[in-house]
Amino acid sequence: MINFILICSLLFLTFSILAISYRLVVGPSAPDRIQALDALGVNLIAGVAIFSVFLRSVAFFEIILLIGILSFIGTIALAKFIERGVVIEHKRSE
Amino acid sequence: MPWLNMTIFIPFLFALLVPFIYKKFTPKIHTGWFVLVVPILIFIYLLTYIPAISNGKFIHSSLPWIPSYGINFTTYIDGLSLIFGLLITGIGTLVVLYSIFYLSKHREALNNFYVYLLLFMGAMLGLVFSDNVLVLYVFWELTSISSLLLIAYWYEREKSRYGAQKSMLITIFGGLAMLAGFIMLSIITDTYSIREMFTKVDSIVSHSLFLPAMLLVLLGAFTKSAQFPFSIWLPDAMEAPTPISAYLHSATMVKAGIYLVARMTPIFGGTAEWFWIVSGIGLITLLYGSVNAVRQTDLKALLAYSTISQLGLIMSLLGIGSAAMYFGIGDESEVYTVAILAAIFHLINHSTFKGCLFMVVGIIDHETGTRDIRKLGGLMNLMPVSFTLTIIGTFAMAGLPPFNGFLSKEMFLTAVLNVSQMSVFNMESLGSLFPIVAWIASIFTFVYSMILVFKTFRGKYRPERLEKKVHEAPIGMLLPPIVLASLVIGIFFFPNILSNYLLKPAVASILPSLAMGGEIYVKKISAWHGWNTELYMTIGIVVFGTLLYIYLRKWIRIYLFYPQSMTLNNMYNSGMEKSEDLFQSITNRYMTGSIRDYLVYIFAFIIFIIGGALWLLDGISFDHSQDASISVYEGGIVISMVISAVAVLLSNSRLTSIVAVGALGLLVSFLFVLFRAPDLALTQLVVETVTTALFLLCFYHLPQLRKEISKVRFKATNAIISIGVGVVVTIFALSVNGTKLFDSISSFYENSYELAGAQNIVNAILVDFRGIDTMLEILVLAIAGIGVYTLIKLRLSGGDENEGTK
C-alpha cells in the first residue's frame, strides 16, 4: 500500500516537473525561467526524499541537503546576475 | 675494412678534412692541389684491377651494414663498373686540375666546392661498385644531392637556383621511382643483391610485377640520364661552374642512368618491352637533342643538348644490344653484341671528347668573358691551342676520322642497320625507321659540331663586343683538355688495346648469359672496314651536313615557327605553376579557418566510419531480453530532460540556455538517484552549480552582452550532421548493449570490505582498486587550475592581435 502511494507521489512530482519544464521553455522572461529552475530544485528534493523512502535507504539524504543549498546558491547567482550584470563584484576595480 | 670498400669512403673522409685545409692554407695554396691526390690515388688503385678483370675474374667484397635486413655494403667489380670507376676517377683528376686554374682562390668559396665535388665523387664510385640495390639507391640519391649543391654553387644567382631546383625535382622523382622498382625486384627475387637476381631471371620474367618494376627502374635511369622527355634539367644545369658541367653533366652523373640500364640488362633484357622502350626512347632523345642543339646560341647550352643527344645514342645502342639476350648463344646474337660493344665504346669516347669540349668552352668563357656564339668569332689566331682542341673534340663528336668518335659512330650505324633486318619484336614493320632516324640525327650532330668550331674560331674578330682582351689560357688550364684530346686520337689508332682490356669484360658483364661458355665474342674494332653501307652513310652525313651548315642562315628561321608554348621547358614551368595554383586552391577550399567547417569534417567522418563499419560488419543487432523495465516517472524525467535539451538549442538568449542547461543538470542528477548512484548524484549537483556560475561569469566578459544575443544559427548541414551523429551513436550504444561478449567483472568489487576495508564500493574503486586514475584526474584538475590562473594573470602586453577585430 505504502509503495503504491510512494509511486503515485513520484508520478505527481513528474507531472509537476514536466509543467515546470514548460515554464522553463516558454518563459516568457528570464526571471520566470529562474523561478522555474528554483522550483525544479524543490521538486527534486521531494523526489529524492520519496525515492529514499521507497528504497528504504538513507544513502541519498545528503543529496537532499545539497540540492537545498545549491539550488539556493544558483538562484541567488542568477538573480544577482539579472540585477547587477555580474555574479562576483570586484571591489578593487571600482 | 676491405680495401675496395675503403676506396669508396676515401672521398667522403677527405671531404671532412677539406674545410680545415682550406682554413689553414688559403690564400697561399689553392685547396685543389690537396684534393687532387684523392682521385689520382684511386685511379691508380683501380688500374691495378685491369689485368684480373680482363682475364674474366670478378672482385667482390662485403661489409655488413644492416645484416638483419640483408642490407650489406657489398662492392663488386666487373668490366662495366671498372670502366665507370676509371672514368670517374680519371676525369675527376683532370677536372680537379682544371678547376685549380679555373676557380680563383681569392674570390671563390673553394671549401664548399671541393667538399661537394668529393661528396659527388664518392657517391658516384659507390653507385657503380654497389651490388646491393638499396645501397645503390643511397649512393644514387647522394649524387642527386651533391649535383644540386654543385649546380647552385653560385647560389646568389637566380638562374643557378632555378636550375638546381629543377634538376633536383626531376632526378629525385626518378630516383624514388627507381627505389620502388628495386623493392619490387627484391620482392620477386627475395634478395637485394644484383648478382643473385641474375640467377633468378626466369622467375622475374614470368612474375606479374615484372613490367611495373621494369618501368619504374627505367624511369629512374631516364631521368638521371636526361632522356626524352626528362632531358629539360640538363641545359639548366649549365649554370654550374664549367668544371662541374664537364664532370657531372657530361662525363659521369648523366651516365649513371646508362650504367643502370646496362646493369639491369641481364635481368630485363631479351624482352620486347625492354628493347622497344630503351632503344625507342634513346633514338627519340638522340634526334631531339641534336635538332635542338643547332638552335642554341650559348656554347654550354649547345654542349648540353649535344650531351642529351649522345646519351640517347648510347641508350638506343643498349636497347638494340639487349636483343642479343633474346637469341641466346649463337651466330645471330653476335650481330647484336656489337651494339653493346658500341655503347660502351661510345660511352668512353663521349666522356673524353665532351669533357675536353666543356673545358675548352670554359677556357673561352674565362678568356673572353662570354659564351654567346653571336659575340664570338675569329679566335683562331688568338687561341691556337684551344682551337686545336676544339677541332679534335668536335670532329670526334661529329664522327669523323681520325678521331675515336668515328669508330663508335660507324659501329652505331652498323648496329641500327643490323637491327632493321631483325625479324622479332615487330621489327618487320618499324625496323626501317631506326637507320633513318639515326642518320638524320647524325646530320644534325654534324651541323652543330661545325657551328661550335667555325662560329667561335673563324669569322671576324670583334674585340669591341668582348669584355676582356683575349689571349691564350695558362698551361695548367690547357693541360687537362690536352690529355683528353690525346686520348681521343689515341683511341682511334689503338682501339683494340682498350677493347681487349676494358670493353670485352664490360660486354661480358652486360651479357653474362652469353659469356657462360667462357670468352665472349667481340669483333675487332678497325678503322677501315671496307666499302660498305655504313661508310656511304657517313659520307652522306658529311655532304648533307656541310650543305646544311653553309645554308644555315636560310633555314635556321624554321625553328621560329615552332611555338614557344609547346616546348618541354614551357610545359614544365607552366605545369609547376598550375599545380601550385591548383593545390593552393584545393587547400584553400577546405582549410577555411572556420572551426565550424572542421567540426563538420570530423563529425561527418565519425558518421561514415562508425556508421559504415556498423553497416558493413553487420554490427547492428538489438537485443531487448536483458533490459530492465521502465517506470512511468523515469519516462517523465527523461521527457523533461529532452524538453530542456531542446530548449537549449532553440533558445533566443544565452541566459535561457544557461537556465535550461542547469535544469538538465539537475534532472540528470535525479536520474542518478533513480539509478541508485548517490556519489555520482552529489558530484553532478555540485559540478552543475559551479558550471552555471562559471557560465554566468563568462557572460560578464562577453562584449556587448545584450546586443549580441542572437538565435542559434540554424543550418541544414548542422542539423543533418548532428542528427546523423546522434543516430549513429544511439545505434552503436544499443548494439553494444545487445551483444555482451562476456560477463562483467563487477562481482570482484563486491567484496571491497574484505579487500579494502571500505563499505562504499565506488569510493573503494576510486582510491584503492584504481587509485592511479584518480591521481591523474587530480593532476588534470591541477593543470586546469594553473592554466586558468596563468591565462588570467599572464597578460602579455598588447594582447593577441586578433582580439577585438571582429
Side-chain angles (χ1 to χ4, degrees), chain A residues 37-53:
Chain A
L37 192 67
D38 196 43
L40 185 68
V42 177
N43 272 288
L44 285 186
I45 292 174
V48 174
I50 294 167
F51 195 67
S52 300
V53 179

Side-chain angles (χ1 to χ4, degrees), chain B residues 79-119:
Chain B
L80 182 66
S81 45
L82 185 64
I83 284 182
F84 272 91
L86 289 173
L87 279 180
I88 292 159
T89 50
I91 296 185
T93 311
L94 297 174
V95 161
V96 172
L97 185 62
Y98 179 79
S99 70
I100 292 171
F101 294 93
Y102 187 84
L103 293 173
S104 159
K105 62 183 168 187
H106 299 289
R107 287 196 304 274
E108 305 285 358
L110 291 173
N111 49 347
N112 293 351
F113 182 81
Y114 287 109
V115 166
Y116 302 158
L117 189 70
L118 283 170
L119 202 66

Side-chain angles (χ1 to χ4, degrees), chain B residues 378-437:
Chain B
L379 299 178
M380 195 169 82
N381 299 325
L382 294 163
M383 304 172 78
V385 185
S386 308
F387 174 63
T388 318
L389 293 170
T390 317
I391 288 275
I392 295 170
T394 14
F395 282 17
M397 184 158 75
L400 296 177
F403 307 107
N404 58 7
F406 175 70
L407 301 174
S408 40
K409 180 66 71 69
E410 292 294 285
M411 288 163 79
F412 170 60
L413 293 175
T414 315
V416 287
L417 283 172
N418 282 334
V419 83
S420 65
Q421 309 294 323
M422 200 165 72
S423 55
V424 293
F425 302 156
N426 288 325
M427 279 299 281
E428 301 89 341
S429 49
L430 293 166
S432 52
L433 274 179
F434 276 55
I436 294 171
V437 170

